Amino acid sequence: LVTGVQTCALPIYCGGYLSSCTEAPESQIGFFNMGHRTSSLFDFTAVLRSGDVVSWPQAIGEPLGLTHALMRQKDALPDGVRLFVGMQVGKTLDPINLLPFRVFGLNGAGSNRRLTAAGLIDIIPTHVSQVPDLLRRRIIPVDVVLIRARPTLESGIYSVGVICDFTQAMIQSAR
């Protein structure tokens, strides 16, 4: 399930490349249309299931409204929801109030250093270039992806921004 998308984000403009998610069956990709509502009002209890893995693009690609809403709702979520993260540059994942989430990620860089120092992140030893394949083969499982998509000047084309190294693979592998 891909949440936070303003409208169906196919095809996707990503860092100068135009692509689509046609490799994944339509039944595996669900889009929640936020319309003109603010993402901070999104109700995660309506979409998350026990054991789900939630992810979002790394660094400046983080959809802050959605990730902050997720953290505010953490105590009402089903048991066992996990987070998969790349490099974080914001303060969303604060070691002080991260529980009940279990976090696994690609590195201890950026603000992930705080999670590493607190022993709250399990690092996956891999190169970023391998992540798309690991996501598609569900070696790194992702069930729900939080993305921010903006319409471009070309009708029907949406941008997920410049941080899209494995964003498309996350979208393709989400339920």
Side-chain angles (χ1 to χ4, degrees), residues 95-113:
I96 294 173
N97 59 14
L98 188 60
L99 296 177
F101 295 118
R102 180 177 149 243
V103 181
F104 60 105
L106 299 178
N107 56 55
S111 54
N112 285 353
R113 287 187 306 252

Side-chain angles (χ1 to χ4, degrees), residues 36 127 137 145 166:
H36 295 290
H127 296 282
R137 294 188 305 146
V145 180
F166 50 86

Side-chain angles (χ1 to χ4, degrees), residues 66-85:
L66 288 167
T67 56
H68 290 177
L70 178 69
M71 294 307 290
R72 279 193 309 275
Q73 297 173 40
K74 66 183 181 178
D75 294 328
L77 298 177
D79 292 335
V81 172
R82 299 173 292 155
L83 307 177
F84 167 66
V85 297

Side-chain angles (χ1 to χ4, degrees), residues 43-62:
D43 179 12
F44 285 96
T45 61
V47 286
L48 291 180
R49 302 173 186 162
S50 181
D52 271 351
V53 175
V54 180
S55 190
W56 54 85
Q58 64 179 344
I60 62 171
E62 177 181 347

